[in-house]
Amino acid sequence: MSSRIFLLCLPLALTLHASGQVSYSLGDEGAYIARQEQEAAATTNDSTKANKYLKLSLLYRRINNAEKSKAALQQGLKLATQYPLLNAASYYYKTIVEFVPGDIAALEKNLITSDSLLQPFDDPEAYKLRSIIWNNYGILQQMKGDEKGALEAFTNKAVQHAIQSGDFLALGKSYKGIATIFMNSNQREKAAGYLQQAIAALRRAPRDNPINLTELIETYINTSENFVNLHWYDSARNTLSHARALLAPYPASNLYMIFYFAEGVYLYKINQSAEAVKSLDKGIDLATRLGAVLSLNRLLYAKYKALSNQKEYKKAAVVLAALVQSPHVFTVDKQLYYKELYATYAALGNTRDAFRYAQQYITLSDSLHEQQLQQDIAELENKFKHAENERKITALQAEKDRAATELHNNRLLAGLLGALSLFLFVSIVLGVVLYRQRSAHYRQQLKDTEQQQQIQLARALMQGEEKERKRLAADLHDGLGGQLAGIKINLSRMATNTSHPDTQLQKVIEQLDVSANELRRIARNMMPESLLLMGLEPALKDMCDSLSTDTTSVVFQPFGIHRDIHPEIQINIYRIVQELLTNAVRHAQATEILVQCSQNSTRFFITLEDNGRGFDPAAVAKPGIGLSNARNRVEYLNGKLDITSAPGEGTTINIEFDVTTR
């Protein structure tokens, strides 16, 4: 029902709040905070007072009172300086209170520093804070996509420190963190075991702290969702009942958003879709009033699924179409929504809208692949720049150390200045020469590594694209194609059984036939059977023949194409010709197109000539998607692409590459 699951500790809850999500609460933290204020003011012991003010700084931050949070922090920091443990702990509290939403790198660094400062102390409070620190660190790894690093943080650090501290809230959070890893990897039975351990620990945490009770209720709700995914519906119903009973005294709690979501999903999974929609509508109303856009999106998608389960496809399509328009929908979720809209409109028999959303799904899929490639390249560039900066810092520090050593030696050995100066001069020259040689070698290694990684990224992108094309082609052909064929058969049977031929019905049958042929053409272009079954040359000829019309002649001339070219390169050749031909047919307005493909040993040549309207290559600031895709594939094959064109004189494109390059 949702994408990834994250455990919310304090810093991450604040981060999500800044982006349209809220941290969960019972809605009555004010009374608890007031008691803590009174106790902090009344105590005369400086260490106890420091500890209470440091904890108050986080409680104020939790209710978004930044002014009181900073004031309490300052009071705590001032009193903590004379107590080693509190002085070390204060770095963590300072990290959280002064955390700037979005600056994840700084938060990660400060968490590690906080843990190192607390490491020397064999004290329950130190172990409790260290458990919380590693819980937060694990969540950061999750957000970065490093599930392995997150699991190590939860199991090897957070759980162990929580056990040493004897704090059941910290232990429950740690087990819950492990469970989220297994839920994200769809290992639901393992997740269920850790969620049960989390509940057992949280039930032993003191109930006078509303944060403990909030965590317990949220864990019950998450456990219910996990049980629904396992189809353990009796267990899901029982955990929902526990959550409902604990929530009953707190009607203003925003935990009802996730409760109504879990209840709605459970109800439609047991085929009580009408009741599910009622429950989800309550959650939608609450999320709308609270401005919790991420929870709202999740609830709307669940309502769509419930309506679809009732076969209320028109209502379901309205909900999902509105969700797609939300500015707060993640791109990867929007891709799923387009796919669902295509299926929904297909179920309604609305072929036009089904095709429209199928095309938007394809376009977004291509865009996601390209965005991921650009993102990976940017990460590689940042790593390279970071390495360069580290190298410069190291070099400057080394230079500083050498200068200090030289000065010290000069003062001690004034009598040997001449000989020593000569020796140092020679040593520095040799050091600089060796340093430059090593630096040049290191930079070359970095450059080679970066190029290799870019090649691997490009290969992964193209393989992913072909896999997605193949899958979607199968979906269109077997799914929508089968539906169109069934509709045609039924209409033909109606026409046959009618004593008087219906010309309008016959026209509909003919239009449906055209649509089915167009669907087969799209599926064939996405993953041509001729390429898979007969090889490159027949596939290219089939493509050229399919694009020839009464107004446009496409001639294919093959010369010496080998059948043993690696399949991956065959696909790239086919896509290059496909992109160039599409450009010539759609944009160049050509009436005659010549495609020549030839092979000489391991060298492969592609030439495409058309008599279209032409263009000035030097004047084109940004080439079109088709030409860019073709150029990217040629660069991936370490080949060359030359364009000769002028307005009104047609276009000639020559491509050359080695077919052994993979």
Side-chain angles (χ1 to χ4, degrees):
M1 290 306 303
S2 61
S3 51
R4 301 180 63 76
I5 301 168
F6 295 105
L7 171 69
L8 292 185
C9 285
L10 180 61
L12 297 184
L14 293 169
T15 304
L16 291 174
H17 178 71
S19 62
Q21 186 56 287
V22 294
S23 57
Y24 299 119
S25 71
L26 297 175
D28 71 338
E29 281 81 358
Y32 175 74
I33 293 174
R35 289 199 304 272
Q36 299 304 307
E37 289 173 334
Q38 292 172 358
E39 291 177 8
T43 184
T44 57
N45 183 290
D46 282 349
S47 65
T48 303
K49 187 183 287 285
N51 194 28
K52 285 190 173 294
Y53 275 121
L54 289 173
K55 291 181 178 179
L56 270 170
S57 70
L58 295 192
L59 290 173
Y60 289 134
R61 179 78 193 251
R62 183 179 180 87
I63 61 173
N64 295 318
N65 192 329
E67 184 177 347
K68 281 193 172 184
S69 178
K70 291 179 180 178
L73 176 66
Q74 291 306 314
Q75 287 179 281
L77 292 176
K78 184 177 179 180
L79 294 169
T81 54
Q82 55 186 318
Y83 303 102
L85 173 56
L86 287 174
N87 192 43
S90 64
Y91 189 89
Y92 168 72
Y93 290 100
K94 190 172 184 291
T95 292
I96 302 307
V97 171
E98 296 180 354
F99 168 64
V100 177
D103 193 357
I104 301 301
L107 177 59
E108 186 177 73
K109 179 181 177 182
N110 290 338
L111 288 175
I112 295 297
T113 303
S114 300
D115 180 71
S116 65
L117 292 173
L118 290 165
Q119 190 171 358
F121 299 96
D122 185 13
D123 183 274
E125 185 66 20
Y127 287 125
K128 174 185 174 181
L129 284 177
R130 293 182 71 189
S131 176
I132 294 171
I133 287 167
W134 283 104
N135 261 304
N136 284 325
Y137 185 85
I139 299 166
L140 294 180
Q141 305 318 300
Q142 260 195 294
M143 293 176 68
K144 294 180 349 186
D146 183 7
E147 298 282 16
K148 181 180 178 182
L151 188 59
E152 289 177 355
F154 290 135
T155 55
N156 297 337
K157 300 288 187 180
V159 168
Q160 302 305 320
H161 293 326
I163 292 172
Q164 289 171 301
S165 74
D167 187 273
F168 292 110
L169 175 63
L171 185 60
K173 279 180 173 287
S174 302
Y175 283 135
K176 186 180 174 187
I178 298 171
T180 62
I181 303 295
F182 289 117
M183 283 190 282
N184 287 338
S185 61
N186 207 29
Q187 299 182 59
R188 296 283 177 173
E189 289 193 27
K190 285 186 177 180
Y194 284 105
L195 285 169
Q196 292 293 352
Q197 291 185 73
I199 289 173
L202 292 169
R203 290 179 66 177
R204 298 178 67 183
R207 294 292 178 88
D208 62 331
N209 185 341
I211 297 174
N212 296 356
L213 185 56
T214 298
E215 191 70 29
L216 175 60
I217 296 171
E218 184 182 352
T219 305
Y220 269 128
I221 295 170
N222 290 344
T223 303
S224 173
E225 287 185 43
N226 192 58
F227 283 151
V228 168
N229 278 279
L230 284 168
H231 307 296
W232 298 355
Y233 298 124
D234 289 342
S235 299
R237 184 182 64 253
N238 290 336
T239 50
L240 276 175
S241 297
H242 284 301
R244 184 186 294 107
L246 292 173
L247 266 174
Y250 308 99
S253 172
N254 59 11
L255 280 165
Y256 277 104
M257 287 189 300
I258 58 174
F259 175 80
Y260 287 133
F261 172 83
E263 184 180 59
V265 173
Y266 162 73
L267 287 170
Y268 95 71
K269 284 290 188 179
I270 62 171
N271 294 320
Q272 294 184 24
S273 297
E275 294 301 315
V277 170
K278 292 179 183 178
S279 185
L280 291 167
D281 279 338
K282 294 178 184 177
I284 290 168
D285 179 63
L286 179 58
T288 302
R289 285 189 282 112
L290 294 176
V293 293
L294 299 183
S295 293
L296 178 60
N297 290 349
R298 200 163 175 247
L299 286 156
L300 286 170
Y301 184 70
K303 182 178 180 180
Y304 156 77
K305 297 294 286 187
L307 289 169
S308 295
N309 198 46
Q310 291 179 277
K311 301 189 184 304
E312 294 278 358
Y313 295 122
K314 287 186 177 180
K315 294 180 180 178
V318 170
V319 172
L320 197 54
L323 182 55
V324 168
Q325 301 302 319
S326 170
H328 302 287
V329 173
F330 294 118
T331 305
V332 67
D333 290 332
K334 186 174 287 189
Q335 183 186 23
L336 169 65
Y337 300 158
Y338 281 142
K339 183 179 178 182
E340 295 281 2
L341 280 167
Y342 144 69
T344 302
Y345 279 110
L348 285 168
N350 188 336
T351 307
R352 181 176 61 83
D353 284 335
F355 268 120
R356 178 163 63 89
Y357 283 111
Q359 185 60 45
Q360 287 177 299
Y361 171 75
I362 296 168
T363 302
L364 188 58
S365 297
D366 292 341
S367 173
L368 282 173
H369 284 305
E370 184 173 347
Q371 288 176 13
Q372 185 61 49
L373 178 60
Q374 295 296 330
Q375 193 174 29
D376 290 342
I377 291 172
E379 288 179 4
L380 288 173
E381 184 180 10
N382 287 335
K383 288 179 181 178
F384 174 76
K385 289 179 179 178
H386 178 71
E388 282 289 287
N389 290 335
E390 290 292 330
R391 181 188 63 76
K392 291 176 181 177
I393 292 170
T394 303
L396 289 172
Q397 186 62 43
E399 187 66 30
K400 180 180 177 181
D401 292 343
R402 280 198 299 271
T405 302
E406 182 181 351
L407 179 60
H408 180 68
N409 289 339
N410 283 341
R411 288 175 178 174
L412 292 176
L413 303 172
L416 300 176
L417 181 59
L420 186 58
S421 297
L422 179 61
F423 175 77
L424 289 174
F425 176 77
V426 174
S427 298
I428 291 172
V429 170
L430 289 175
V432 170
V433 171
L434 289 174
Y435 170 74
R436 288 179 177 175
Q437 289 177 345
R438 290 178 180 175
S439 295
H441 178 66
Y442 177 66
R443 285 195 297 270
Q444 184 60 41
Q445 282 184 324
L446 278 178
K447 184 177 180 181
D448 293 343
T449 301
E450 184 179 6
Q451 289 177 344
Q452 187 62 33
Q453 288 176 328
Q454 288 177 348
I455 290 171
Q456 291 174 354
L457 286 170
R459 178 179 299 166
L461 174 63
M462 292 177 185
Q463 288 174 346
E465 180 182 342
E466 292 301 327
K467 182 178 179 180
E468 184 66 14
R469 285 174 180 268
K470 184 176 181 180
R471 187 195 62 74
L472 190 53
D475 286 350
L476 287 172
H477 185 275
D478 299 338
L480 188 55
Q483 292 179 4
L484 289 174
I487 294 170
K488 179 185 174 184
I489 291 171
N490 290 333
L491 291 175
S492 299
R493 187 179 293 124
M494 291 171 60
T496 304
N497 294 337
T498 303
S499 57
H500 299 288
D502 189 333
T503 56
Q504 290 298 113
L505 182 59
Q506 192 60 39
K507 286 182 180 180
V508 171
I509 295 173
E510 291 172 359
Q511 290 172 350
L512 190 61
D513 212 12
V514 171
S515 297
N517 290 335
E518 177 65 12
L519 176 63
R520 285 192 290 272
R521 185 189 67 78
I522 292 172
R524 184 170 62 250
N525 283 341
M526 296 185 73
M527 186 49 63
E529 294 182 3
S530 55
L531 179 61
L532 300 174
L533 300 176
M534 294 182 288
L536 179 60
E537 185 175 325
L540 291 173
K541 184 177 186 306
D542 185 46
M543 186 205 313
C544 293
D545 291 344
S546 68
L547 290 174
S548 292
T549 64
D550 295 338
T551 58
T552 304
S553 170
V554 182
V555 178
F556 174 61
Q557 295 179 351
F559 301 100
I561 299 177
H562 298 180
R563 294 185 60 86
D564 60 352
I565 299 174
H566 192 277
E568 183 181 336
I569 295 182
Q570 289 191 40
I571 290 174
N572 275 293
I573 293 172
Y574 184 90
R575 295 300 182 203
I576 289 169
V577 174
Q578 187 180 47
E579 297 284 6
L580 297 179
L581 263 178
T582 302
N583 261 14
V585 171
R586 291 183 179 176
H587 306 300
Q589 299 178 358
T591 59
E592 295 181 3
I593 304 172
L594 173 64
V595 180
Q596 291 182 337
C597 292
S598 61
Q599 185 174 349
N600 183 3
S601 185
T602 63
R603 302 300 294 175
F604 199 93
F605 305 88
I606 301 173
T607 298
L608 188 143
E609 297 180 2
D610 67 64
N611 65 345
R613 59 185 182 180
F615 64 98
D616 183 1
V620 177
K622 184 178 180 182
I625 294 175
L627 186 56
S628 295
N629 288 343
R631 193 183 297 276
N632 289 339
R633 290 182 184 273
V634 172
E635 288 176 357
Y636 166 67
L637 296 172
N638 291 328
K640 297 184 295 184
L641 184 148
D642 295 321
I643 301 175
T644 303
S645 183
E649 297 183 8
T651 301
T652 300
I653 300 176
N654 292 300
I655 298 172
E656 178 184 353
F657 52 85
D658 194 319
V659 290
T660 61
T661 302
R662 285 195 297 114

